Amino acid sequence: MRKLSIFAVFLLALVIPSLAQQNNDVKVWPVRDNIYLIYGAGGDITVQVGKDGLLVVDAGLANMSDKVLAAIKTISPLPIRYLVNTHFHPDHVGGNAAIRQAGATIAGGNVTGDLGAAASQGAQVIAHENVLNRVSAPTGKQSALPTNGWPTSTFFNDEKKMYFNGEGIEIIHFANAHTDGDSIVYFRKSDVIATGDLFTTIMYPVIDTAAGGTINGTIEALDKIVDMMIPVYGQDGGTLVVPGHGRICDVGDVLNFREMTIIVRDRIQDLIKKGMTLEQVKAAKPTFDYDPLYGNNSFWGTDKFVEAVYTTLKKK
Amino acid sequence: MHVRSKWLGAMLAAVMAFPAAAQMNITGVWNNKLHEDWPDRLPGPELGDYAGIPLNDANRLRAKTWDASLITLPEYQCRVHPSDYASSFADIRIWQDIDAPTQQVTAIHVHHFAWETERTIWMDGRPHPPEYAQHTTMGFSTGKFDGDKLMVTTTHLKEGWIRRNGVARSDRAVVTEYFIRHGNELTWAALIHDPTYLTDTFIRSRDYQFAVAGQIPPYPCESVVEIVRPRGTIPHHLPGTNTFLKEYQDAHGIPEEAAMGGAMTMMPQYRARVSELIKNAKK
């Protein structure tokens, strides 16, 4: 748990400066059709809206919940029915309790039983089981999230499918990528994927080794995401992506990010084969050409990325 | 007086409604003149030729480790040229949208024969989108006439290339373009500002000729698996292992320093330096 807490502090350090630059404004931006991006509340938040209500992917930071809920209200006054967590980090699940509480589960008839109206209180929170494992704790221990922010509907296999607001939605789990509990959310009709932190535009791939993250798992996840995307032409348009952090993207952006990730992995693998220590690998600057793009992030800079890649490749 | 005021008002309204006097009509089909930088365009640049590009050390390493086999990957085969590179290839068609009540140009569109890309240059004064909006290969462009030149500012570009031998242009670049018509000739100049990968502004200009009966054919492109590779494979050279980099230098007698580019290699006075390097090499 201590390692997780350190990671959480780093995550806060990541998002707070960027929020300050935006005067703490949370922005709403249309992605496509009935899909919206909420930006500036920690991790990127994706909202799907339709006649049945809202499905929200990730919840942002806890202290941004009021602003997130206000932003969601500008999209639709309908109730939030589902909240999906892409992973357990606090910039993505911090607002779970508030968003859940503001929502309402679809329930009625036999389903409610003796619970009555209480059965519909709060939105369903969907996540891979490993997210629940990471945010909860045994009785008497301090959990990473308060109980009312824990996932209420978990899955332990590779995929969960649902149909909501007239479109099929796939929640696809990747083991040992960014963490051990990552999921992406694919809106099949809208052709939009919310990737969580498996893909960002502002920093190197974040590999939380303490929580089961690995470089090769990250590459496998990126390969799968690329496989799912169909551009209109070449690398342009078609399937859109809402990353864990950063701007709206298409397949070209994901390909560029995957290209960098694989090249750096190959370079570090080669240096390991040559018998280099971590310090020697760092001194060889295997990310030098990509540092102007990804290396300046105060939370997850070059050193941390190289260390995570080295560590997980050495473990093989 | 009352009648005169009405006439003045009408004349003023008429003058206001006309486009700016210096505004140039650049619509039509334009044939690309390939006389300039020929080897760099249709044949394609040689590996290890970065001369004349103000690239920084990071970009140089990207280029030196780039492997042309990358474009055998299916997902890279139909990759289109970004708008700041598209001028190097083939013919273009330009047309414009007119707002009917005011007869003002609200948008100018450019269709490139190569890869059928199309871009819009917004002329209606709209702002550029925020940082978190999508980037595209065409970018988001706004334009205004500066005298008789159309000046265009483009942001929101996806990562592209300065030269298609591995020299990168980042997604943070801002491109300023000028479309200048001289009778039946059109000059399209792009000034690429990319603090991530360039130490100075890179300037590229291309010339076109008006085609009275010009037509642009389709440009279909279909990806296929050319080489079966394991998943997660990206062709690239590990740093220091690219044996092809010397070929360009050897074939043309270009000193390595010049081939590796940099801001100084853009300057006319660099010719003297090249002569000196060649002289020293012969000693």
Side-chain angles (χ1 to χ4, degrees):
Chain A
M1 284 303 289
R2 188 166 174 273
K3 279 185 175 173
L4 295 184
S5 301
I6 291 168
F7 210 83
V9 170
F10 278 137
L11 282 168
L12 289 174
L14 160 70
V15 295
I16 286 170
S18 62
L19 291 176
Q21 285 167 4
Q22 300 175 53
N23 299 319
N24 275 349
D25 280 347
V26 170
K27 313 280 191 191
V28 177
W29 191 255
V31 179
R32 172 180 289 150
D33 299 336
N34 59 332
I35 308 285
Y36 294 83
L37 161 71
I38 296 180
Y39 183 84
D44 286 359
I45 296 170
T46 307
V47 178
Q48 183 231 33
V49 61
K51 62 180 176 52
D52 300 329
L54 282 75
L55 182 149
V56 178
V57 181
D58 283 338
L61 287 162
N63 64 357
M64 300 300 289
S65 295
D66 289 346
K67 287 177 176 169
V68 169
L69 288 169
I72 289 172
K73 286 282 178 211
T74 68
I75 298 170
S76 169
L78 292 171
I80 298 163
R81 300 297 193 181
Y82 299 101
L83 168 62
V84 184
N85 290 146
T86 59
H87 63 288
F88 77 97
H89 288 148
D91 52 333
H92 293 260
V93 301
N96 268 17
I99 290 181
R100 177 172 178 247
Q101 201 171 345
T105 297
I106 299 170
N110 292 341
V111 179
T112 59
D114 294 337
L115 287 171
S120 65
Q121 279 180 6
Q124 282 276 27
V125 183
I126 301 170
H128 188 267
E129 192 174 55
N130 288 347
V131 174
L132 177 62
N133 293 340
R134 298 258 171 213
V135 299
S136 60
T139 306
K141 302 273 186 184
Q142 178 72 40
S143 62
L145 275 186
T147 50
N148 59 353
W150 295 1
T152 57
S153 171
T154 59
F155 63 103
F156 58 87
N157 48 348
D158 290 342
E159 186 174 27
K160 180 184 175 69
K161 293 178 182 177
M162 55 191 292
Y163 200 85
F164 185 61
N165 282 326
E167 75 175 320
I169 297 165
E170 291 179 73
I171 304 168
I172 302 166
H173 167 62
F174 295 96
N176 305 112
H178 165 58
T179 67
D180 62 1
D182 301 299
S183 297
I184 63 170
V185 182
Y186 178 36
F187 299 94
R188 291 173 64 160
K189 186 174 170 186
S190 310
D191 202 12
V192 173
I193 303 172
T195 64
D197 283 358
L198 292 168
F199 168 63
T200 83
T201 62
I202 63 168
M203 55 191 160
Y204 285 117
V206 181
I207 301 163
D208 186 350
T209 53
T214 66
I215 181 66
N216 283 331
T218 299
I219 290 169
E220 281 169 30
L222 291 169
D223 277 340
K224 171 72 176 172
I225 293 167
V226 167
D227 286 346
M228 293 168 64
M229 301 181 78
I230 302 176
V232 173
Y233 196 123
Q235 298 184 353
D236 257 10
T239 312
L240 294 179
V241 157
V242 177
H245 295 269
R247 59 182 168 77
I248 299 165
C249 294
D250 66 15
V251 71
D253 299 298
V254 183
L255 285 167
N256 290 334
F257 189 77
R258 183 186 69 159
E259 185 181 311
M260 171 275 295
T261 306
I262 291 172
I263 287 172
V264 172
R265 186 270 314 266
D266 291 353
R267 288 177 184 175
I268 293 177
Q269 184 71 74
D270 178 64
L271 297 173
I272 289 172
K273 274 186 193 161
K274 288 176 177 162
M276 288 192 179
T277 64
L278 174 59
E279 288 314 310
Q280 287 170 324
V281 169
K282 283 182 179 176
K285 298 183 177 177
T287 59
F288 178 77
D289 39 351
Y290 295 102
D291 284 345
L293 284 173
Y294 303 107
N296 297 323
N297 191 282
S298 57
F299 156 66
W300 188 255
T302 301
D303 267 11
K304 287 196 179 78
F305 174 55
V306 171
E307 196 168 325
V309 175
Y310 181 91
T311 304
T312 61
L313 289 176
K314 280 287 269 189
K315 268 186 191 169
K316 271 203 311 180
Chain B
M1 285 296 285
H2 181 66
V3 173
R4 188 186 292 173
S5 298
K6 269 168 82 175
W7 272 108
L8 280 172
M11 284 170 67
L12 188 62
V15 168
M16 295 286 282
F18 278 118
Q23 186 170 312
M24 190 69 78
N25 182 0
I26 58 170
T27 61
V29 172
W30 298 86
N31 292 146
N32 200 348
K33 294 170 74 173
L34 291 161
H35 62 289
E36 191 181 11
D37 298 337
W38 168 257
D40 199 36
R41 296 168 77 177
L42 287 192
E46 294 183 60
L47 298 171
D49 171 16
Y50 319 132
I53 301 176
L55 77 177
N56 62 16
D57 290 342
N59 203 354
R60 191 174 292 108
L61 179 61
R62 275 196 76 166
K64 288 168 78 172
T65 56
W66 182 82
D67 186 339
S69 293
L70 184 71
I71 50 178
T72 63
L73 295 174
E75 58 269 32
Y76 286 71
Q77 287 168 19
C78 294
R79 187 159 63 163
V80 305
H81 290 307
S83 60
D84 52 325
Y85 195 86
S87 62
S88 294
F89 289 90
D91 304 339
I92 57 172
R93 180 175 64 248
I94 301 177
W95 72 103
Q96 58 190 23
D97 294 344
I98 303 285
D99 175 57
T102 61
Q103 289 296 300
Q104 297 294 306
V105 176
T106 55
I108 294 173
H109 306 275
V110 185
H111 175 99
H112 316 101
F113 163 64
W115 285 276
E116 296 179 353
T117 50
E118 277 182 9
R119 65 186 290 206
T120 298
I121 300 162
W122 297 103
M123 302 293 289
D124 55 2
R126 70 180 61 194
H128 284 242
E131 58 176 308
Y132 42 88
Q134 189 189 352
H135 287 215
T136 63
T137 47
M138 295 296 104
F140 186 93
S141 300
T142 53
K144 60 180 182 182
F145 278 93
D146 174 14
D148 59 356
K149 298 185 292 291
L150 172 63
M151 190 181 96
V152 178
T153 303
T154 301
T155 59
H156 291 74
L157 287 157
K158 283 198 294 192
E159 184 172 287
W161 41 94
I162 298 287
R163 188 172 284 168
R164 56 193 167 107
N165 58 1
V167 181
R169 192 263 295 132
S170 85
D171 60 353
R172 297 163 197 174
V174 175
V175 179
T176 307
E177 291 161 287
Y178 292 93
F179 291 78
I180 309 156
R181 182 172 186 161
H182 328 266
N184 283 337
E185 303 283 325
L186 179 73
T187 298
W188 177 358
L191 286 69
I192 302 166
H193 319 278
D194 183 9
T196 303
Y197 277 136
L198 298 178
T199 60
D200 209 336
T201 300
F202 179 70
I203 304 172
R204 176 187 290 124
S205 68
R206 300 291 180 236
D207 292 310
Y208 293 81
Q209 190 160 38
F210 188 73
V212 178
Q215 292 192 27
I216 307 281
Y219 195 102
C221 184
E222 184 185 341
S223 302
V224 294
V225 175
E226 294 178 351
I227 300 167
V228 177
R229 296 182 168 100
R231 276 170 75 80
T233 300
I234 294 287
H236 65 97
H237 296 282
L238 292 169
T241 65
N242 189 347
T243 55
F244 301 109
L245 294 174
K246 290 286 284 179
E247 287 180 359
Y248 166 73
Q249 298 163 34
D250 294 343
H252 302 283
I254 306 285
E256 182 178 5
E257 179 194 287
M260 289 297 106
M264 62 186 177
T265 64
M266 293 195 299
M267 307 302 172
Q269 58 269 32
Y270 189 68
R271 287 181 201 158
R273 169 76 180 155
V274 173
S275 303
E276 188 188 315
L277 288 168
I278 292 171
K279 218 179 277 176
N280 290 342
K282 283 178 182 166
K283 276 180 190 171

